[in-house]
Amino acid sequence: MNLFGKKAFAAVSIFLFICGIQFPLMAQEDIFGIERKIKGRKSENELGNVFRNMVSNFSFEISTGAAYQEHDLLFNSDTPSNYPLRPTGADQQMDIQPGDTLAMTTGQMAYPINVGVRVNVFNFVTLGAGYGREWGNISPLMGQGYAFDFERSNYTYDKLYGTLGLVLWDAGKRNAFLRWQYRKYSGNNIAMQSELKQRARQIYPWRLVAEGEFGSMMMRHPPDQNLTAPDPYYGIALRLEYDFSEYTRAFVRSAAAFRTFAYTAPEAQEIQNIDQNVYSLQVGVSVSLPGTKKCKVGGCRVVMKHLHNGVEYRGSSIWYRQNRKVGQW
């Protein structure tokens, strides 16, 4: 063997020796049992895994804000003397006749607070239910020279409600839109396909949901003992969410609710319907139940989602993103 062959043989031998040392080390399992591909279960038993996958779709929320309420009454009665009507002018006398019609309105501010639970269904629709309380004031209804007085100006209403929401925009729909935008570029265009992948992998925290609301009112402290809320109400809303993490988010919700109250005078045989329109703007926070358990393996300092023995764990609080990018640590 010549000198060149001896040198080549020595180089190959050294390379194989180094590989023989490195490959076994690379093949060893991490000392904490961490696996890199997150495709594991959320619990060691089947029932627990199904339960944790299910509860991760539930979230609890609380919101508050302010609202403007409008009340409209088209008063018409055969016995107007049975109602708390009074003329508003100093020299005006009570000359309303049976069968006369008065268009009366008033408007005031209200302050609601709501707590509820929401279920996410395949990131396509949301189902929710909740309880709310509303404090406010109501002024006398005014119109055509008359005022319709209530026993007191302040009130407290409670409500039980349900919601049905349609997700109009979120990270998934944004990615579908990006793919539609880049459809004109060939799959062989490496630069544009790389740009598409980079944009699609970006964390997109916004979500827009259109909601319908329906429920019933309960008069905890009505402005008048003759006022009731016998009929259900309905409303519409637009909800904008911002994700802090996979489990926590803040939202702004603008809504309009349409309600009907019934005023029944003690000696009258008819009912006066008072229509109420409420336009509200609320802010709130929502927290999802974490389906993935917090890692409690001693010595493990992984802050991202990871696996131990095939079971998925999270390494951070629910207020932080589990799979953070560079610069988000």
Side-chain angles (χ1 to χ4, degrees), residues 298-319:
C300 181
R301 295 293 183 265
V302 177
V303 297
M304 300 175 70
K305 281 187 178 180
H306 56 281
L307 300 182
H308 290 292
N309 299 323
V311 178
E312 178 182 302
Y313 294 90
R314 55 186 173 87
S316 303
S317 165
I318 61 173
W319 299 98

Side-chain angles (χ1 to χ4, degrees), residues 38-65:
I38 305 300
K39 291 184 180 179
R41 301 158 55 86
K42 292 183 173 62
S43 179
E44 295 180 356
N45 61 78
E46 186 64 30
L47 182 60
N49 186 56
V50 172
F51 174 76
R52 288 190 167 275
N53 281 319
M54 180 181 65
V55 300
S56 61
N57 294 314
F58 286 78
S59 60
F60 294 90
E61 61 185 42
I62 183 170
S63 63
T64 187

Side-chain angles (χ1 to χ4, degrees), residues 33 53 59 108 124 137 147 161 173 184 189 196 214-215 239 245 249 272 283 309-310 312 318-319 325:
N53 281 319
S59 60
Q108 283 280 14
F124 179 68
N137 292 290
Y161 64 90
K173 290 179 172 54
K184 58 186 177 181
N189 190 331
L196 171 60
F214 53 91
R239 174 181 173 125
S245 70
R249 64 202 61 86
Q272 302 295 330
V283 295
N309 299 323
E312 178 182 302
I318 61 173
W319 299 98
K325 307 298 182 181

Side-chain angles (χ1 to χ4, degrees), residues 185-225:
Y185 299 108
S186 169
N188 297 323
N189 190 331
I190 299 176
M192 299 311 297
Q193 295 304 319
S194 176
E195 180 180 303
L196 171 60
K197 290 180 180 179
Q198 289 180 3
R199 295 184 64 184
R201 289 173 181 172
Q202 289 176 341
I203 294 176
Y204 189 77
W206 299 100
R207 183 180 299 103
L208 184 64
V209 184
E211 287 186 340
E213 181 179 325
F214 53 91
S216 60
M217 303 291 298
M218 294 167 286
M219 315 289 281
R220 294 301 182 194
H221 184 70
D224 198 296
Q225 63 179 351

Side-chain angles (χ1 to χ4, degrees), residues 18-273:
I18 294 175
C19 289
I21 295 176
Q22 294 294 327
F23 287 169
L25 292 178
M26 293 174 63
Q28 288 180 357
E29 186 181 13
D30 187 280
I31 59 174
F32 299 117
I34 299 171
E35 302 170 33
R36 304 306 182 199
K37 295 182 180 180
I38 305 300
K39 291 184 180 179
R41 301 158 55 86
K42 292 183 173 62
S43 179
E44 295 180 356
N45 61 78
E46 186 64 30
L47 182 60
N49 186 56
V50 172
F51 174 76
R52 288 190 167 275
N53 281 319
M54 180 181 65
V55 300
S56 61
N57 294 314
F58 286 78
S59 60
F60 294 90
E61 61 185 42
I62 183 170
S63 63
T64 187
Y68 180 76
Q69 51 171 334
E70 293 179 346
H71 294 86
D72 296 297
L73 168 63
L74 196 61
F75 180 82
N76 184 283
S77 174
D78 294 331
T79 57
S81 59
N82 290 330
Y83 295 90
L85 290 172
R86 60 177 174 84
T88 54
D91 56 349
Q92 187 174 354
Q93 296 183 355
M94 189 77 172
D95 59 355
I96 183 172
Q97 301 299 317
D100 287 352
T101 299
L102 300 176
M104 314 184 80
T105 62
T106 188
Q108 283 280 14
M109 295 298 294
Y111 304 95
I113 183 171
N114 299 316
V115 292
V117 61
R118 192 172 301 270
V119 183
N120 179 23
V121 183
F122 304 119
N123 292 322
F124 179 68
V125 298
T126 62
L127 301 174
Y131 164 83
R133 173 159 289 191
E134 180 181 309
W135 297 269
N137 292 290
I138 180 170
S139 301
L141 294 160
M142 310 289 290
Q144 298 180 230
Y146 287 90
F148 190 104
D149 292 317
F150 297 101
E151 294 175 352
R152 62 185 68 88
S153 61
N154 61 316
Y155 69 82
T156 303
Y157 299 156
D158 286 357
K159 67 176 182 178
L160 293 174
Y161 64 90
T163 61
L164 173 63
L166 177 65
V167 180
L168 302 178
W169 186 257
D170 64 354
K173 290 179 172 54
R174 172 180 176 267
N175 287 345
F177 178 73
L178 287 175
R179 289 193 297 270
W180 179 82
Q181 271 191 322
Y182 282 78
R183 73 192 187 283
K184 58 186 177 181
Y185 299 108
S186 169
N188 297 323
N189 190 331
I190 299 176
M192 299 311 297
Q193 295 304 319
S194 176
E195 180 180 303
L196 171 60
K197 290 180 180 179
Q198 289 180 3
R199 295 184 64 184
R201 289 173 181 172
Q202 289 176 341
I203 294 176
Y204 189 77
W206 299 100
R207 183 180 299 103
L208 184 64
V209 184
E211 287 186 340
E213 181 179 325
F214 53 91
S216 60
M217 303 291 298
M218 294 167 286
M219 315 289 281
R220 294 301 182 194
H221 184 70
D224 198 296
Q225 63 179 351
N226 300 312
L227 195 66
T228 59
D231 298 326
Y233 77 91
Y234 67 94
I236 55 175
L238 197 61
R239 174 181 173 125
L240 181 63
E241 299 181 353
Y242 179 86
D243 292 340
F244 294 124
S245 70
E246 291 88 339
Y247 306 106
T248 58
R249 64 202 61 86
F251 63 88
V252 177
R253 186 176 187 268
S254 59
F258 310 98
R259 310 166 180 168
T260 300
F261 298 99
Y263 188 96
T264 306
E267 300 179 1
Q269 300 299 318
E270 69 252 346
I271 296 176
Q272 302 295 330
N273 289 323

